Amino acid sequence: MVIVMGPEATGDDLASIVALVEAAGVEAFVSRGVQRTIVGLVGDVTQLDQGNLRGMPGVRDVVRVTTPYKLVSRENHPERSTVHVGGVPIGPDTVTLIAGPCAVETPQQTLEAALMARKAGATLLRGGAYKPRTSPYAFQGLGEAGLRILAEVREETGLPVVTEVVDAHDVGLVASYADMLQVGTRNAQNFALLQAVGAAGKPVMLKRGMNATVEEWLMAAEYIAQRGNLDIVLCERGIRTFETATRNTLDVSAVPVAQRLSHLPVIVDPSHSGGHRDLVLPLTRAAIGAGADGVIIDVHPHPEQALVDGPQALVEGDLELLAGVMRDFPPLLGRTPAGTLTA
Amino acid sequence: MVIVMGPEATGDDLASIVALVEAAGVEAFVSRGVQRTIVGLVGDVTQLDQGNLRGMPGVRDVVRVTTPYKLVSRENHPERSTVHVGGVPIGPDTVTLIAGPCAVETPQQTLEAALMARKAGATLLRGGAYKPRTSPYAFQGLGEAGLRILAEVREETGLPVVTEVVDAHDVGLVASYADMLQVGTRNAQNFALLQAVGAAGKPVMLKRGMNATVEEWLMAAEYIAQRGNLDIVLCERGIRTFETATRNTLDVSAVPVAQRLSHLPVIVDPSHSGGHRDLVLPLTRAAIGAGADGVIIDVHPHPEQALVDGPQALVEGDLELLAGVMRDFPPLLGRTPAGTLTA
Amino acid sequence: MVIVMGPEATGDDLASIVALVEAAGVEAFVSRGVQRTIVGLVGDVTQLDQGNLRGMPGVRDVVRVTTPYKLVSRENHPERSTVHVGGVPIGPDTVTLIAGPCAVETPQQTLEAALMARKAGATLLRGGAYKPRTSPYAFQGLGEAGLRILAEVREETGLPVVTEVVDAHDVGLVASYADMLQVGTRNAQNFALLQAVGAAGKPVMLKRGMNATVEEWLMAAEYIAQRGNLDIVLCERGIRTFETATRNTLDVSAVPVAQRLSHLPVIVDPSHSGGHRDLVLPLTRAAIGAGADGVIIDVHPHPEQALVDGPQALVEGDLELLAGVMRDFPPLLGRTPAGTLTA
Amino acid sequence: MVIVMGPEATGDDLASIVALVEAAGVEAFVSRGVQRTIVGLVGDVTQLDQGNLRGMPGVRDVVRVTTPYKLVSRENHPERSTVHVGGVPIGPDTVTLIAGPCAVETPQQTLEAALMARKAGATLLRGGAYKPRTSPYAFQGLGEAGLRILAEVREETGLPVVTEVVDAHDVGLVASYADMLQVGTRNAQNFALLQAVGAAGKPVMLKRGMNATVEEWLMAAEYIAQRGNLDIVLCERGIRTFETATRNTLDVSAVPVAQRLSHLPVIVDPSHSGGHRDLVLPLTRAAIGAGADGVIIDVHPHPEQALVDGPQALVEGDLELLAGVMRDFPPLLGRTPAGTLTA
């Protein structure tokens, strides 16, 4: 940490700072300049509150020079990690396709969507039984009935299941059905939920909060990791900006940035970021180009009847194109292609 | 709702839309233009999914022309509401001061802060026993022990207590101590929590999500209202923008905008939006000027030792100025002044 | 400046940095920590490029600890400045009302608007003869004919004139008519224009770019100041955020922030930030509450016929209320009230 | 256009609207609903001001249903355009690489950078002689001397030149040297400049304003087109958001969105959006994946000595990787690869 004193700081102000720092067992190196005096802190600064230091007399600024996350940091774990979900890898050697319906509506719709997903090269099935909705009057998901449908479709298709959990107290239930727990963008700072999924013994997909900085996203991952679970996959899904032409703004740069700062795999959700079917393939190619370790995509057999997010779901006619992207692009980045057009 | 057809739309596309709309019991008025054909929908459109309509062939855009919230809407309830918290009004006739420590740390600190609050004119005490923190390594609050301290300080000072709840399953516990439940900015779309506080039988202060539009904020309030609780106070606390000179950007315009759209009282948190002590008084005056029905302010007897957000807490020397603002500004807006310098 | 070395930095990396810094005549103080080594630079660092330092091997971050602006900085000029426009002060002792039509349309409309302005307490007349418009098909202003109208109305009303200039090569012409030159939000980084108004010998009102940080705004002012003109008034007019309920988001905190960083007066434009008549009075009161040194407001005798921004213009019926605000609020902040209801 | 009346609208309010609309020669179709009455306007609405309609009594909202740009609209010109610059195509069949130094510093540096660019597959040379800089104390470019250097390097390398113009009155001069005129992000709403480059008879590269919506970007292009110049290439270069981990946030979705709305080619600047060398290749691949018609990239022989933006310039060691991307990715999208490793 570096403390920058203002030009108005007195010798007493400086002495107080040094005393406080040294009392915390940290060394203080003072560099006096003409306009500014700088105090460099060396040692374990975790007991010093950056905000309170900033509030002390004579202090102009306090600059942190180490990252606030540790377990998920690449600095402490230089090799990039691979997370396995029901045996399926997500990591630096592959580009994993996770696909399925946004929401589980019926057994038939879920099975059809799962078969569509597999046809496009998906090796993991997505599908929501608990849906966080902006409106209390909108469909909120089937709950446990939806989880049972997902489990049945897993039986039929062999695809392990990724599904969202929205309440800390449902984590045990959802984990008893799911292969991977998803934490959604609206819960990206629901710390009770993060701690609960951290203790659930299942891999976790952590979506970035739509207003979260990369650092806050990694701090949310640190909450999960701190409970002993490092099987975390980060998912960029678009951030909120002034632009309204798309549902959210896909921050594709966040993929290489997060991969440089953290050892965790990073995937992209092109369906929710763009919010429109026509954007899914361009954004999927963009995500793979940026180095994403996978993508998660909505598909639906009859999107015009979908209860949630129909306009962004890929349909039957899109699958061959998607399969082609998943097959042809990864090798250009030295990665194994995802699945093949198998159905 | 208005459906705008694209120039490429065929007669069949239009007929499909009209059929679907009429099947939902809604009338469709078609206006054919040279460049665009418009379909105006008249009737109860709640069964029509705007997204799915947008995904239909030939549709360029779908525009909602009614508000999606009902219970909190001013259109359905033109008179502005007053919410009472332990007998203290928050509403159009007053400017209520809620003050206290950001976090409850010790009985002594909480009592001192409460006395400071009262001295500045506060009639409600704020204080957090459960603190949502970006870092898992930061102080997370005293939990129930903190609630007990708040209850004791209420006994000593007579100030009803406003305190945050962060997990749906703590709502009963927190409600057994608190006079008003606070939902924080990070939980502004934690729908399980919103529903739980809606059922708790206590007034709720709902902070705006730092990335929530005014409409989303009102939809979050609608979640609470839908469970039967209309004793909701909206709290603007700054939104996230590109500007980094302040912790968040206080959206002071949101006060009159929300008051026009909703009958609920709207207050402002100048401490958390600005993030710095020096901004608290200017932003308090700005909030009252914009028409806020109250303000919620951090005070701390020894902010340099505060465990949370010390730099933004007002100190003893600021209280007289704050009391002056709370006394002199409300009358200019035809409101009763808040408290008086009583201690 | 402080250079933070990464954990991977070698002794050679450090030696290169120190050599480069010392070659620029700057002292380098090295603090070695376990995780990080910090190099504090003391002396005149203007010849060192922060970006290039950041690109050197082993460097993790480079932190500037002095402000990049000098002439407009409050650090170098602690007393707040007052700018006089045709004899009218804008500064810390007053709250100046600048009002008039958004665009000059006809002599009659401009005169009527000026009389409305004066009635509300305005001591300066605003009005645009050159209008930057998003659409090339929209009214672009009357040009020099508009300037002549403004000069005539100044004769009739005694109100000095504030008007916008949009092209560096029009500065001489506009300055020959105007008492104060306005640089608009879209030109906040039009450096040719900033330099030209800096050399024109007239006071300048510099609107904040709708995407400019406070620091960038002050750097734009520095461009003007560097040409020898320190008669600059900063004008906050709303920034662009995700919120669409208002035209822009008034960043009212920017008023005290800019006043702390710079000695220049800071005023607010409540008309363009909110974009709606109903918001003008609440935002005017908020601006004064935040400490603004003035406000600039659109008025129009017949806004439904206005060629530009009619919906945000105040009308005859609003003037008494505005006059009341301008009279009653400033004294609460220790300032002289603006004008009186004189017409 | 659709006018939505509020529930409080009277019959007279509605009659006034209809009269005003019909007076402008536009047909008004009224649909009366229980909660809302809607007026659909059919005909040439260009004489009706949306803002003023919104300000009329009883009006809740006015929704535009046609695009405000015409000449650049894809609706009016369904086939995507190809722009030729000194014989080099930028359009749907190719992925053009434009590369060179951010700023022209010396003949030697410019030539070396041009040779680097060509080696990576560039067929157009970028380089700035006029640099818009946030600080007045930073290097502002060599001006005409820089243009002469660019012309000489074009002679030696055969690469046509793309260079920025920052002032309307320099357009003639810059156009006499350049093959393509660049308008930068800070001038994206400098309408005098847009009109001047529209009349200059040279192709124009129009960077998106860092706070411009896609619609505003296209309106800026419409300003150029309106002066008779349709040889416009749009360039996405990152927008300003809350995220500070990158210089700006590359809005990669804007590529397919702009291509759907406009027939103009769309390229991407991965150097300025990311602001860091390590991000250039991932973002280049992402841009091509999203369907960009080209990329513009900074290269520098000695970036640690660069006067502008050194940290984002690619260096010698990166060129082979870049050449590989430009060769291997375009064919996957059915496009001709850019250049080959020729030097």
Side-chain angles (χ1 to χ4, degrees):
Chain A
M1 213 178 286
V2 176
I3 300 172
V4 180
M5 307 300 290
E8 76 288 359
T10 64
D12 281 359
D13 292 342
L14 186 62
S16 300
I17 293 285
V18 171
L20 186 141
V21 164
E22 293 184 347
V26 174
E27 277 187 281
F29 290 83
V30 177
S31 312
R32 284 169 209 276
V34 177
Q35 287 190 281
R36 291 280 187 274
T37 293
I38 299 163
V39 186
L41 308 194
V42 172
D44 176 8
V45 296
T46 52
Q47 298 313 306
L48 289 168
D49 184 276
Q50 189 178 348
N52 288 350
L53 285 171
R54 188 172 281 130
M56 289 189 70
V59 172
R60 171 62 54 100
D61 203 1
V62 179
V63 184
R64 210 183 52 218
V65 299
T66 48
T67 55
Y69 40 85
K70 302 178 191 317
L71 301 171
V72 306
S73 164
R74 191 153 180 195
E75 200 166 288
N76 297 326
H77 187 304
E79 198 184 350
R80 298 199 54 224
S81 296
T82 296
V83 171
H84 289 84
V85 180
V88 174
I90 305 177
D93 299 329
T94 45
V95 181
T96 306
L97 174 59
I98 308 170
C102 185
V104 172
E105 299 166 13
T106 67
Q108 177 66 14
Q109 165 257 10
T110 306
L111 178 59
E112 285 183 45
L115 294 174
M116 290 171 70
R118 205 172 61 180
K119 195 169 166 183
T123 47
L124 294 171
L125 173 66
R126 64 150 294 155
Y130 297 87
K131 302 301 303 175
R133 304 301 299 280
T134 302
S135 167
Y137 306 112
F139 174 64
Q140 313 267 327
L142 297 180
E144 188 169 3
L147 296 174
R148 279 195 297 267
I149 293 173
L150 286 168
E152 289 159 19
V153 172
R154 174 174 52 200
E155 282 300 299
E156 297 194 58
T157 61
L159 296 173
V161 164
V162 181
T163 197
E164 182 166 359
V165 56
V166 298
D167 186 330
H169 294 260
D170 295 333
V171 167
L173 176 69
V174 178
S176 72
Y177 288 93
D179 298 286
M180 181 178 226
L181 300 172
Q182 177 181 321
V183 175
T185 186
R186 289 173 184 76
N187 287 309
Q189 292 199 312
N190 180 337
F191 301 119
L193 180 60
L194 295 173
Q195 290 173 329
V197 299
K202 285 284 168 80
V204 177
M205 178 195 303
L206 176 64
K207 290 206 163 182
R208 181 180 180 185
M210 68 182 85
N211 69 325
T213 61
V214 171
E215 184 171 303
E216 288 169 337
W217 190 19
L218 296 179
M219 287 308 286
E222 187 83 5
Y223 260 96
I224 299 170
Q226 197 211 12
R227 293 294 166 118
N229 186 352
L230 269 165
D231 284 337
I232 306 165
V233 172
L234 302 168
C235 180
E236 159 65 30
R237 47 80 65 212
I239 58 173
R240 180 157 277 185
T241 71
F242 63 81
E243 178 59 73
T244 56
T246 44
R247 180 170 170 165
N248 287 111
T249 298
L250 178 64
D251 181 8
V252 80
S253 318
V255 173
V257 167
Q259 288 172 342
R260 179 169 48 80
L261 295 172
S262 172
H263 58 91
L264 300 176
V266 182
I267 69 170
V268 166
D269 180 340
S271 303
H272 285 77
S273 44
H276 200 282
R277 185 172 303 128
D278 293 347
L279 293 174
V280 174
L281 282 172
L283 295 185
T284 297
R285 294 189 304 251
I288 300 175
D293 301 308
V295 286
I296 177 164
I297 289 178
D298 287 12
V299 298
H300 199 287
H302 308 289
E304 71 285 358
Q305 299 166 13
L307 297 175
V308 184
D309 287 342
Q312 75 197 24
L314 292 188
V315 296
E316 189 65 33
D318 303 315
L319 299 181
E320 199 158 343
L321 284 169
L322 176 60
V325 169
M326 299 309 299
R327 181 188 63 227
D328 297 340
F329 276 72
L332 290 191
L333 292 118
R335 294 172 184 253
T336 306
T340 46
L341 197 60
T342 55
Chain B
M1 212 178 289
V2 177
I3 301 173
V4 180
M5 306 300 290
E8 76 288 1
T10 65
D12 281 359
D13 291 343
L14 187 61
S16 300
I17 293 285
V18 172
L20 187 140
V21 163
E22 294 184 345
V26 174
E27 277 187 282
F29 290 83
V30 177
S31 312
R32 283 170 209 276
V34 178
Q35 288 190 279
R36 293 279 187 275
T37 292
I38 298 163
V39 187
L41 308 193
V42 171
D44 176 8
V45 298
T46 53
Q47 298 313 307
L48 289 167
D49 184 275
Q50 188 179 349
N52 288 350
L53 285 171
R54 189 173 280 129
M56 289 189 71
V59 173
R60 171 61 55 100
D61 204 1
V62 179
V63 183
R64 210 183 50 219
V65 298
T66 46
T67 55
Y69 40 86
K70 302 177 193 316
L71 302 171
V72 305
S73 165
R74 189 150 180 197
E75 201 166 286
N76 298 326
H77 186 304
E79 198 184 351
R80 298 200 55 224
S81 297
T82 296
V83 171
H84 289 85
V85 181
V88 174
I90 306 178
D93 299 329
T94 45
V95 180
T96 307
L97 174 60
I98 308 169
C102 184
V104 172
E105 299 167 14
T106 67
Q108 177 65 14
Q109 164 258 6
T110 306
L111 178 59
E112 286 182 43
L115 294 173
M116 291 171 69
R118 205 173 59 180
K119 195 167 165 182
T123 45
L124 293 171
L125 173 65
R126 64 150 296 156
Y130 297 86
K131 301 303 302 177
R133 303 301 299 279
T134 302
S135 166
Y137 306 112
F139 173 64
Q140 312 268 328
L142 296 180
E144 188 170 0
L147 297 174
R148 278 195 297 266
I149 293 173
L150 286 168
E152 289 159 19
V153 172
R154 173 175 51 200
E155 283 300 300
E156 297 193 58
T157 62
L159 296 173
V161 164
V162 181
T163 196
E164 182 166 359
V165 56
V166 298
D167 186 332
H169 293 262
D170 295 334
V171 166
L173 176 69
V174 178
S176 72
Y177 288 94
D179 298 285
M180 180 179 228
L181 300 171
Q182 176 180 322
V183 175
T185 186
R186 290 172 184 77
N187 286 310
Q189 293 199 310
N190 180 339
F191 301 118
L193 180 60
L194 294 173
Q195 291 172 328
V197 298
K202 284 283 168 80
V204 177
M205 178 196 302
L206 176 64
K207 290 206 163 183
R208 180 180 181 186
M210 69 182 85
N211 69 325
T213 60
V214 171
E215 182 170 305
E216 289 168 337
W217 189 20
L218 295 179
M219 287 308 285
E222 187 84 4
Y223 260 96
I224 299 170
Q226 197 210 11
R227 293 296 166 116
N229 185 352
L230 269 167
D231 283 338
I232 307 167
V233 172
L234 301 168
C235 181
E236 159 66 29
R237 48 77 66 211
I239 58 173
R240 181 158 278 184
T241 70
F242 63 81
E243 178 59 75
T244 56
T246 44
R247 181 171 170 164
N248 287 112
T249 297
L250 178 63
D251 181 8
V252 80
S253 318
V255 174
V257 167
Q259 288 172 342
R260 178 170 48 81
L261 296 172
S262 172
H263 58 88
L264 300 176
V266 182
I267 68 170
V268 165
D269 180 340
S271 303
H272 284 77
S273 44
H276 200 282
R277 185 171 304 128
D278 293 346
L279 294 173
V280 173
L281 282 172
L283 296 184
T284 297
R285 293 188 305 249
I288 299 175
D293 301 308
V295 286
I296 177 166
I297 291 179
D298 287 11
V299 298
H300 199 287
H302 308 289
E304 70 288 357
Q305 298 166 15
L307 297 176
V308 183
D309 288 342
Q312 75 197 25
L314 292 190
V315 296
E316 188 66 33
D318 304 314
L319 299 181
E320 199 158 343
L321 285 168
L322 175 60
V325 169
M326 299 309 300
R327 181 189 60 228
D328 297 339
F329 277 72
L332 289 191
L333 293 117
R335 295 173 184 253
T336 306
T340 45
L341 197 62
T342 53
Chain C
M1 214 178 285
V2 177
I3 300 172
V4 180
M5 307 300 292
E8 76 288 0
T10 65
D12 281 359
D13 291 343
L14 187 61
S16 300
I17 294 285
V18 171
L20 187 141
V21 164
E22 294 184 346
V26 173
E27 277 187 281
F29 289 83
V30 177
S31 311
R32 284 170 208 276
V34 178
Q35 288 189 278
R36 292 277 187 276
T37 292
I38 298 162
V39 186
L41 308 194
V42 171
D44 176 8
V45 297
T46 52
Q47 298 312 307
L48 289 167
D49 185 275
Q50 189 178 349
N52 288 350
L53 285 170
R54 189 174 279 130
M56 289 189 69
V59 172
R60 172 61 54 100
D61 203 1
V62 179
V63 183
R64 211 185 48 219
V65 298
T66 46
T67 55
Y69 40 84
K70 301 179 193 314
L71 301 172
V72 305
S73 165
R74 189 153 181 195
E75 200 166 286
N76 297 326
H77 186 304
E79 198 184 348
R80 298 199 56 224
S81 296
T82 296
V83 171
H84 289 82
V85 180
V88 174
I90 306 177
D93 299 329
T94 45
V95 180
T96 307
L97 174 59
I98 307 169
C102 186
V104 172
E105 299 166 14
T106 66
Q108 176 65 16
Q109 164 257 8
T110 306
L111 178 59
E112 286 182 45
L115 294 173
M116 290 170 70
R118 205 173 57 181
K119 193 168 168 182
T123 46
L124 294 171
L125 173 66
R126 65 151 294 155
Y130 297 87
K131 301 303 302 177
R133 303 300 300 277
T134 302
S135 167
Y137 306 113
F139 174 64
Q140 312 268 328
L142 296 180
E144 190 171 1
L147 296 175
R148 278 194 297 266
I149 293 173
L150 286 168
E152 288 159 19
V153 172
R154 175 176 49 200
E155 282 300 299
E156 298 194 56
T157 61
L159 296 174
V161 163
V162 182
T163 196
E164 182 165 358
V165 55
V166 298
D167 186 333
H169 293 260
D170 295 334
V171 166
L173 176 69
V174 178
S176 72
Y177 289 94
D179 298 286
M180 181 180 226
L181 300 171
Q182 176 180 322
V183 175
T185 186
R186 290 173 183 77
N187 286 309
Q189 292 199 311
N190 181 338
F191 301 118
L193 180 60
L194 295 172
Q195 290 173 329
V197 299
K202 284 282 169 81
V204 178
M205 179 196 302
L206 176 64
K207 289 206 164 182
R208 181 181 180 184
M210 69 182 85
N211 70 325
T213 60
V214 171
E215 184 172 303
E216 289 168 338
W217 189 21
L218 295 180
M219 287 307 286
E222 187 82 4
Y223 260 95
I224 299 170
Q226 198 211 9
R227 293 293 167 118
N229 186 351
L230 268 166
D231 283 337
I232 306 166
V233 172
L234 301 168
C235 180
E236 158 65 29
R237 46 79 66 213
I239 59 173
R240 181 158 276 185
T241 71
F242 64 81
E243 178 59 75
T244 56
T246 44
R247 180 170 171 166
N248 287 112
T249 298
L250 178 64
D251 181 8
V252 80
S253 318
V255 174
V257 167
Q259 287 173 342
R260 179 169 48 79
L261 296 172
S262 172
H263 58 90
L264 300 176
V266 182
I267 69 169
V268 165
D269 180 341
S271 303
H272 285 77
S273 44
H276 200 284
R277 184 171 303 129
D278 293 348
L279 294 173
V280 174
L281 282 171
L283 296 185
T284 297
R285 293 189 304 250
I288 299 175
D293 301 308
V295 287
I296 176 166
I297 290 179
D298 288 10
V299 297
H300 199 288
H302 308 289
E304 70 286 359
Q305 298 166 13
L307 297 175
V308 183
D309 287 342
Q312 74 199 23
L314 292 189
V315 296
E316 189 65 34
D318 303 315
L319 299 181
E320 199 158 345
L321 285 169
L322 176 59
V325 169
M326 299 308 300
R327 180 188 61 226
D328 296 341
F329 277 72
L332 289 192
L333 292 117
R335 294 172 185 253
T336 306
T340 46
L341 197 61
T342 55
Chain D
M1 213 179 286
V2 177
I3 300 173
V4 181
M5 307 300 291
E8 76 287 1
T10 65
D12 281 357
D13 292 342
L14 187 61
S16 300
I17 294 284
V18 171
L20 187 141
V21 163
E22 293 184 346
V26 174
E27 279 187 281
F29 290 83
V30 177
S31 311
R32 284 170 208 276
V34 178
Q35 288 190 277
R36 291 278 186 276
T37 292
I38 298 163
V39 186
L41 308 193
V42 171
D44 176 8
V45 297
T46 52
Q47 298 313 309
L48 289 167
D49 185 274
Q50 188 177 349
N52 288 350
L53 285 171
R54 189 172 281 129
M56 290 188 69
V59 172
R60 172 62 55 100
D61 204 1
V62 180
V63 184
R64 209 185 50 220
V65 299
T66 47
T67 55
Y69 40 86
K70 303 181 193 312
L71 301 172
V72 306
S73 165
R74 190 156 181 191
E75 201 166 287
N76 297 326
H77 187 303
E79 198 185 347
R80 298 199 54 225
S81 297
T82 296
V83 171
H84 289 83
V85 181
V88 174
I90 306 177
D93 299 329
T94 45
V95 180
T96 307
L97 174 59
I98 308 169
C102 185
V104 172
E105 298 166 15
T106 66
Q108 176 65 15
Q109 165 257 9
T110 306
L111 178 58
E112 286 183 45
L115 294 173
M116 291 171 69
R118 204 172 60 182
K119 194 168 169 183
T123 46
L124 293 171
L125 173 65
R126 65 150 293 155
Y130 296 87
K131 302 301 302 175
R133 303 301 300 280
T134 302
S135 167
Y137 307 112
F139 174 63
Q140 312 267 330
L142 297 181
E144 189 170 2
L147 297 174
R148 279 195 297 268
I149 293 173
L150 286 167
E152 289 160 18
V153 171
R154 174 174 51 200
E155 281 300 298
E156 297 194 58
T157 61
L159 296 173
V161 163
V162 182
T163 196
E164 181 165 359
V165 55
V166 298
D167 187 332
H169 293 262
D170 295 334
V171 167
L173 176 70
V174 177
S176 72
Y177 288 94
D179 298 286
M180 180 177 227
L181 300 171
Q182 176 181 321
V183 175
T185 186
R186 289 172 185 78
N187 286 309
Q189 292 199 311
N190 181 338
F191 301 119
L193 181 60
L194 295 172
Q195 291 173 328
V197 299
K202 285 284 168 79
V204 177
M205 178 196 302
L206 176 64
K207 289 206 164 183
R208 180 180 182 185
M210 70 183 84
N211 69 323
T213 61
V214 171
E215 184 172 302
E216 289 168 337
W217 190 19
L218 296 179
M219 287 308 285
E222 187 83 3
Y223 260 95
I224 299 171
Q226 198 211 10
R227 294 293 165 119
N229 187 352
L230 269 166
D231 284 336
I232 306 166
V233 172
L234 302 167
C235 180
E236 159 67 30
R237 49 75 68 211
I239 57 173
R240 180 157 278 185
T241 71
F242 64 80
E243 178 59 72
T244 56
T246 44
R247 180 169 170 167
N248 288 112
T249 297
L250 178 64
D251 181 8
V252 80
S253 317
V255 174
V257 167
Q259 288 173 342
R260 178 168 50 78
L261 295 172
S262 172
H263 58 90
L264 300 176
V266 183
I267 68 170
V268 166
D269 181 340
S271 302
H272 285 78
S273 45
H276 200 282
R277 185 171 302 129
D278 293 348
L279 294 174
V280 174
L281 282 171
L283 295 185
T284 297
R285 294 188 305 250
I288 300 175
D293 302 307
V295 286
I296 178 166
I297 290 178
D298 287 10
V299 297
H300 200 287
H302 308 291
E304 71 285 0
Q305 298 166 13
L307 296 176
V308 184
D309 287 342
Q312 75 198 25
L314 292 190
V315 296
E316 189 64 34
D318 304 314
L319 299 181
E320 199 158 343
L321 285 168
L322 175 59
V325 169
M326 298 309 300
R327 182 186 60 227
D328 297 341
F329 277 73
L332 290 191
L333 292 118
R335 294 174 185 251
T336 307
T340 46
L341 197 60
T342 54

